[in-house]
Amino acid sequence: MLFSHHENSHNKVLVVDDEPTSLMIMAESLSDLGEIVCCDNGAQAIEKAVFFQPDVILLDIEMPGMNGFEVCKKLKNNPKTAQSHVIFVTSHNEQIFEYQSFASGGIDLIHKPVDLNICRLRVQNQLKLKHQEAQILAAKNDISTLVAQVPVYISYWSNTEENLFSNDETSHWFSKSSEQMLGCFAKDVLPDELYEAFHRCLTKGIEQEVLNIQLASPRNKIEYVRAQVNLRIKEREVVGVILTLSDITSITHTKKLLSNESERLRVMLNSIGDAVIATDNNAIINFMNPIAERLTGWHAEEAKGRHIEEVMKLVDATSNKTLVNPISVALKEQRIVAMALNSQLTGLDGRVYRVEDSAAPIRDIEGNIIGGIIVFHDVSESIAMAVKMSHLANHDLLTDLPNRVLLHDRVTHACKVATSMKKKVALMLIDIDHFKYLNDTLGHHQGDLIIKHVAKRLESLIDLNTTLARIGGDEFVILLPDVQSTSAIDAIASDIINTMNEPFRIDSQEYILSVSVGVSVNPADSTQAEEMMTHADAAMYRAKEQGRNRFCYYSDDLEYQFKQRQSVEKLLRHAIEQDKIEVFYQPKLALLTEKIIGVEALVRLRDDENKLISPLDFIPLAEETGLIHALGQSVLKQSCIAAKEWADKGHNIKVAVNIAAKQFTDGNFCNLVADTIEQAGLASELLELEVTESALMHDFEEIKIMLSKLSDLGLTIAIDDFGTGYSSLSYLKLFPVDVLKIDQSFVRDMLTDTQSMDIVRTITSLAHTLNLQIVAEGIEEKQHLNSLIDLGCELGQGYYFHKPMPKEEFDKLLG
């Protein structure tokens, strides 16, 4: 279709049958095809059809009161329901019933007892037909809308130059409307120059010609047009001519204005006192003004076509080391770049100049870099050195805010003044939530733009006595040197949170951000600048742990948690680097035979005293620090090697490996899995990847592509902790899922909680319906086992059978 239509494409099916059992069976069978509505009599069917307007109606013929034929006729006579496809359902096989079904408006007939598979196929076919009808109608409307509304004159003429069609209904282009134009000859209505081109193409057999024409008598401010003449040829004979016109008046005027502006710009650049050199996006020179000629010693015409490094030779004045030209850096990093301190330019004539400058990429209207420009001038060494060194030593290059060095001086000074004046000083550490993900996804240039916008928004919240500094990639600090009360701190922190929640608009794109803020107050919890920074950092991490998008004050237990976090992170990094990550295996059994058919791989980490650390303490930390990728790779590698060893000993044990949500953001994840399987020499069908429901919700299309690639490797995809997340049936249908794992919380409570029992029953039934394997987690009692077997659950794991164990212990279990 030409346009994007937003009609609701959700399938609607109405099932009408006076037998409750038949009604329930058919509704259950068709439930995944769309929204199903049921009723058990003719009058109610008509009422629901008018309100519901279903795509397909399954209609029983024999019903009390009003039979199916009467219902169908009433539906077909009602404009609101006439388009619904009616499929009759009957136990009669006589030909007269088939005749009456189609005569009354039915489109298909299904005989009882109903074959549910055939029924589903017939309903699906009718739904497809409905969708095709809608698409055809939409396409027809699109074409009509396009021809009527497109800002182009479209006309068709016979080979005798007689008008047969035009879309100018309002006489916008010519004095005649499309209706008045019919039957007119081109010579009588087209401007002379346009007609000459039209006639030339027709008489000389020129199949296509495009030309720009200035109209002698402009209409509706259309002075210039681009005309395209196309001959329509059939069996080597011209049967007609298509003539289209587009208004290029504004474009023509703009070109003239640009030409004038370009000339003014050339004169201005040649007149200013600074040297200017412009290049293309490969740093090849295409312009130099007279000052640049003087400083470099090159004539502009000689310099054109040469690389900037050849013409503008920069060295460090002290070491004489060659410097990279700022314009090269600006083009590479796509940002404004200042010349390195102590820069020295040597001209072609041997003259030496100390210069300062700035270089910037040149972008077109769409933001694409098309070149670069550098503006520089001769300056004295003392001024250049003093200004540059002082500023760069104390300010952030990207935002021009005070950096960590200058902030430390101001915090130290504020603390001294506060001590002598008995005042309070507050320090707020502000960290952008999930900025690393944004930076990796959007690119560093876009990340830099976001940082700049955040800096400007924070600056709008502070007064002249307050210091705003940038101390790291996405970390800012606000220093409040004179705090009257805690409520004042609360107000400022709240303003920061709320202001950051407002969308940022960058390059016509909106971004929603949040920040976590940690607050340290002197002298309440710290007395020195370094201590305030440490405490604010700890408070900020507490804010992140509590859900982000909030602020927290420092407290005594935060220091302990902060140290614990650092300790666990250090242990984790060391274990990964030294290949000391352990993997335990929990057997998975066939419930009827209690035979081991697989294992789940579970990661383990030990502290310095050889005690196991809870996965709840180090896995979230791994995800937050980015170590989850290396951790996951280690577990996958060990699991594949173990499964290969078992297979070589005659035990085809499938190993299930948990995959974290963040691992899916790695574009190379599929290749990593394939390489790991290949290096281990493992048959891919012996590997199962477990993903949580929440991991599937990040980017639907991207996850779908990744799961399909993984499935193509031959391994199995399992949904872990099913029922605790989104539980959307859509991904079970569209994603290549093989296994559902019932979360242990439902299994544990199923004996005492009817709701948990119902959830387990429903998930088991759903898995059977979708031909998925079902695995129950957390089996701890004999009653759990018996109930799951009764419900039809085939596989399970839990402490009733075995706890997770090291590989050596599992090897002994296999015998």
Side-chain angles (χ1 to χ4, degrees):
M1 289 186 288
L2 297 175
F3 304 115
S4 176
H5 293 274
H6 300 282
E7 293 89 1
N8 183 7
S9 60
H10 185 67
N11 298 328
K12 299 178 181 180
V13 180
L14 174 62
V15 183
V16 186
D17 198 311
D18 62 336
E19 295 182 10
T21 303
S22 298
L23 202 63
M24 181 180 67
I25 292 174
M26 293 185 72
E28 178 66 21
S29 174
L30 302 175
S31 62
D32 63 327
L33 298 184
E35 186 177 357
I36 311 299
V37 173
C38 303
C39 63
D40 58 5
N41 62 76
Q44 192 180 39
I46 294 172
E47 180 182 346
K48 288 198 173 185
V50 171
F51 176 78
F52 188 54
Q53 296 189 7
D55 300 299
V56 175
I57 301 175
L58 285 169
L59 181 59
D60 188 18
I61 295 178
E62 296 294 335
M63 294 187 296
M66 186 187 305
N67 66 31
F69 297 138
E70 295 174 281
V71 173
C72 185
K73 289 178 181 178
K74 290 181 180 293
L75 292 173
K76 292 301 176 180
N77 289 330
N78 190 330
K80 292 185 177 180
T81 57
Q83 301 305 314
S84 296
H85 288 192
V86 177
I87 301 176
F88 282 104
V89 181
T90 182
S91 58
H92 294 284
N93 293 318
E94 293 85 352
Q95 191 172 9
I96 185 64
F97 279 87
E98 186 172 355
Y99 173 82
Q100 285 183 293
S101 297
F102 292 113
S104 60
I107 203 163
D108 203 349
L109 180 68
I110 298 175
H111 293 287
K112 292 184 178 181
V114 176
D115 185 319
L116 294 179
N117 290 326
I118 293 178
C119 178
R120 281 174 53 84
L121 288 174
R122 291 189 175 186
V123 171
Q124 283 180 319
N125 288 338
Q126 295 304 322
L127 289 172
K128 289 178 181 178
L129 288 174
K130 287 290 292 181
H131 291 165
Q132 290 169 358
E133 290 174 5
Q135 290 173 345
I136 291 171
L137 179 60
K140 181 179 178 182
N141 292 336
D142 287 346
I143 293 173
S144 299
T145 302
L146 175 62
V147 173
Q149 297 184 4
V150 69
V152 176
Y153 178 80
I154 303 174
S155 60
Y156 183 73
W157 309 74
S158 70
N159 56 5
T160 61
E161 302 185 355
E162 182 181 2
N163 181 265
L164 302 177
F165 168 80
S166 70
N167 67 339
D168 190 16
E169 296 181 0
T170 60
S171 307
H172 180 75
W173 292 84
F174 301 105
S175 58
K176 295 179 182 293
S177 66
S178 55
E179 185 177 351
Q180 295 168 334
M181 187 75 78
L182 288 174
C184 293
F185 288 90
K187 185 176 182 180
D188 299 327
V189 293
L190 298 181
D192 293 342
E193 187 177 355
L194 178 57
Y195 173 73
E196 289 175 8
F198 178 95
H199 185 69
R200 182 172 62 254
C201 289
L202 185 58
T203 56
K204 294 186 177 181
I206 302 173
E207 292 188 13
Q208 178 177 311
E209 184 169 340
V210 179
L211 67 161
N212 296 335
I213 297 173
Q214 182 177 5
L215 300 179
S217 301
R219 180 177 177 82
N220 291 322
K221 299 182 180 180
I222 301 176
E223 299 177 40
Y224 299 89
V225 297
R226 174 163 292 173
Q228 180 166 328
V229 183
N230 291 81
L231 300 184
R232 187 181 180 197
I233 300 174
K234 187 175 183 181
E235 296 178 358
R236 298 185 180 181
E237 289 187 9
V238 177
V239 297
V241 185
I242 298 174
L243 171 65
T244 61
L245 303 176
S246 55
D247 183 7
I248 60 170
T249 303
S250 62
I251 295 175
T252 305
H253 287 317
T254 300
K255 285 183 177 179
K256 291 181 179 180
L257 291 173
L258 285 175
S259 177
N260 295 337
E261 190 65 21
S262 177
E263 178 60 17
R264 282 195 292 269
L265 180 62
R266 186 188 67 81
V267 172
M268 180 183 69
L269 290 178
N270 288 339
S271 302
I272 64 174
D274 286 348
V276 180
I277 300 178
T279 73
D280 62 13
N281 55 6
N282 293 315
I284 303 300
I285 295 173
N286 51 35
F287 173 82
M288 288 178 65
N289 74 344
I291 302 299
E293 289 181 315
R294 180 176 65 81
L295 292 179
T296 62
W298 287 78
H299 292 294
E301 291 304 317
E302 295 175 348
K304 286 181 180 179
R306 298 178 185 271
H307 196 277
I308 187 71
E309 303 279 5
E310 181 182 355
V311 174
M312 190 178 177
K313 297 182 178 180
L314 298 174
V315 298
D316 183 89
T318 303
S319 65
N320 207 35
K321 181 180 179 182
T322 300
L323 300 175
V324 177
N325 194 283
I327 208 166
S328 300
V329 181
L331 291 171
K332 181 181 179 181
E333 299 184 4
Q334 302 182 9
R335 63 181 180 88
I336 297 174
V337 176
M339 184 177 288
L341 293 176
N342 213 23
S343 295
Q344 179 175 287
L345 170 64
T346 302
L348 188 63
D349 54 6
R351 295 183 180 181
V352 177
Y353 304 91
R354 302 296 288 272
V355 293
E356 71 174 19
D357 77 328
S358 65
I362 302 173
R363 300 177 185 274
D364 61 17
I365 194 171
E366 296 176 352
N368 300 314
I369 292 178
I370 59 174
I373 190 166
I374 184 169
V375 180
F376 58 99
H377 55 276
D378 188 10
V379 295
S380 68
E381 181 178 359
S382 59
I383 295 177
M385 291 292 289
V387 173
K388 287 279 186 181
M389 291 185 66
S390 175
H391 191 79
L392 290 177
N394 294 284
H395 290 80
D396 171 56
L397 181 62
L398 181 63
T399 62
D400 205 37
L401 294 175
N403 60 14
R404 186 182 292 270
V405 175
L406 183 54
L407 174 68
H408 182 272
D409 289 341
R410 293 187 180 179
V411 175
T412 301
H413 177 72
C415 289
K416 290 180 179 178
V417 172
T419 301
S420 61
M421 303 293 292
K422 296 185 178 179
K423 294 181 178 180
K424 291 182 179 179
V425 176
L427 196 69
M428 295 183 176
L429 178 61
I430 304 162
D431 183 273
I432 303 174
D433 296 330
H434 304 299
F435 181 76
K436 184 180 184 300
Y437 174 79
L438 279 175
N439 214 25
D440 292 344
T441 304
L442 302 175
H444 293 286
H445 171 66
Q446 206 72 1
D448 286 349
L449 290 179
I450 291 173
I451 290 293
K452 288 182 178 180
H453 279 71
V454 169
K456 289 181 179 179
R457 193 168 289 184
L458 289 174
E459 280 184 306
S460 68
L461 299 176
I462 63 175
D463 56 33
L464 296 176
N465 294 324
T466 303
T467 295
L468 170 64
R470 180 182 179 223
I471 62 169
D474 63 330
E475 288 186 337
F476 296 85
V477 170
I478 290 180
L479 170 63
L480 304 173
D482 185 7
V483 178
Q484 301 299 323
S485 63
T486 304
S487 60
I489 301 175
D490 292 345
I492 294 173
S494 297
D495 284 346
I496 293 171
I497 300 296
N498 296 333
T499 302
M500 289 300 111
N501 288 160
E502 296 176 7
F504 288 81
R505 191 166 189 83
I506 303 173
D507 293 340
S508 301
Q509 179 70 37
E510 284 195 352
Y511 300 94
I512 306 298
L513 302 180
S514 67
V515 295
S516 298
V517 182
V519 183
S520 175
V521 180
N522 170 290
D525 56 47
S526 57
T527 57
Q528 297 179 346
E530 294 83 356
E531 194 175 38
M532 288 192 77
M533 287 296 298
T534 301
H535 289 182
D537 191 58
M540 182 271 290
Y541 275 107
R542 164 65 69 87
K544 286 188 176 295
E545 291 172 356
Q546 292 181 356
R548 297 180 169 85
N549 195 35
R550 67 192 65 220
F551 66 92
C552 284
Y553 285 85
Y554 178 81
S555 59
D556 292 337
D557 64 320
L558 274 179
E559 185 173 7
Y560 173 78
Q561 292 182 19
F562 183 72
K563 291 180 179 179
Q564 283 292 103
R565 171 191 168 86
Q566 289 182 316
S567 175
V568 173
E569 182 179 349
K570 182 178 179 181
L571 285 170
L572 183 59
R573 288 186 184 277
H574 182 265
I576 293 174
E577 292 169 0
Q578 300 298 320
D579 201 21
K580 292 184 178 180
I581 293 295
E582 295 184 37
V583 179
F584 279 27
Y585 300 92
Q586 185 173 32
K588 186 189 301 180
L589 297 87
L591 299 185
L592 284 174
T593 63
E594 296 192 9
K595 178 183 177 182
I596 297 175
I597 54 88
V599 291
E600 179 180 1
L602 301 167
V603 64
R604 293 295 184 263
L605 177 68
R606 295 185 184 273
D607 61 16
D608 294 334
E609 297 178 0
N610 205 34
K611 294 180 181 178
L612 289 174
I613 299 173
S614 171
L616 296 177
D617 290 334
F618 69 85
I619 290 181
L621 182 61
E623 292 183 336
E624 186 176 330
T625 59
L627 293 173
I628 191 66
H629 300 287
L631 181 64
Q633 185 175 354
S634 176
V635 174
L636 181 64
K637 178 181 178 181
Q638 292 186 55
S639 300
C640 289
I641 292 174
K644 170 62 176 172
E645 290 182 8
W646 297 326
D648 290 343
K649 294 178 182 178
H651 304 293
N652 287 329
I653 301 297
K654 178 180 288 190
V655 61
V657 180
N658 292 280
I659 304 301
K662 283 200 173 182
Q663 290 179 264
F664 278 93
T665 63
D666 183 0
N668 196 45
F669 180 70
C670 291
N671 294 332
L672 187 147
V673 173
D675 292 343
T676 305
I677 295 173
E678 182 178 359
Q679 291 170 10
L682 178 68
S684 58
E685 60 266 21
L686 293 180
L687 176 63
E688 178 172 295
L689 298 183
E690 295 187 5
V691 297
T692 60
E693 292 176 279
S694 59
L696 302 178
M697 295 300 108
H698 289 291
D699 186 320
F700 189 93
E701 288 301 324
E702 186 175 324
I703 295 300
K704 181 180 177 181
I705 293 171
M706 183 171 290
L707 289 180
S708 297
K709 289 181 180 179
L710 291 171
S711 182
D712 290 341
L713 295 177
L715 50 79
T716 305
I717 305 296
I719 305 297
D720 194 16
D721 300 337
F722 187 78
T724 61
Y726 293 87
S727 301
S728 171
L729 298 182
S730 62
Y731 61 65
L732 293 183
K733 179 180 179 182
L734 298 175
F735 291 161
V737 176
D738 307 295
V739 181
L740 295 184
K741 297 193 73 175
I742 306 174
D743 185 70
Q744 60 182 338
S745 62
F746 301 129
V747 175
R748 183 178 59 248
D749 298 338
M750 63 186 290
L751 301 177
T752 57
D753 180 25
T754 56
Q755 188 177 35
S756 294
M757 175 64 82
D758 290 340
I759 291 174
V760 175
R761 181 183 292 108
T762 302
I763 295 175
T764 304
S765 176
L766 176 64
H768 290 160
T769 303
L770 298 176
N771 294 321
L772 300 177
Q773 200 173 62
I774 189 76
V775 179
E777 297 178 297
I779 301 174
E780 297 179 356
E781 300 176 21
K782 178 69 173 177
Q783 286 179 284
H784 288 152
L785 175 63
N786 295 336
S787 297
L788 289 167
I789 292 175
D790 291 341
L791 291 175
C793 182
E794 304 93 355
L795 307 175
Q797 63 190 74
Y799 284 12
Y800 176 78
F801 302 112
H802 303 282
K803 294 182 180 180
M805 62 189 74
K807 178 179 179 297
E808 297 76 15
E809 188 175 337
F810 182 73
D811 289 342
K812 294 179 182 178
L813 184 64
L814 287 177

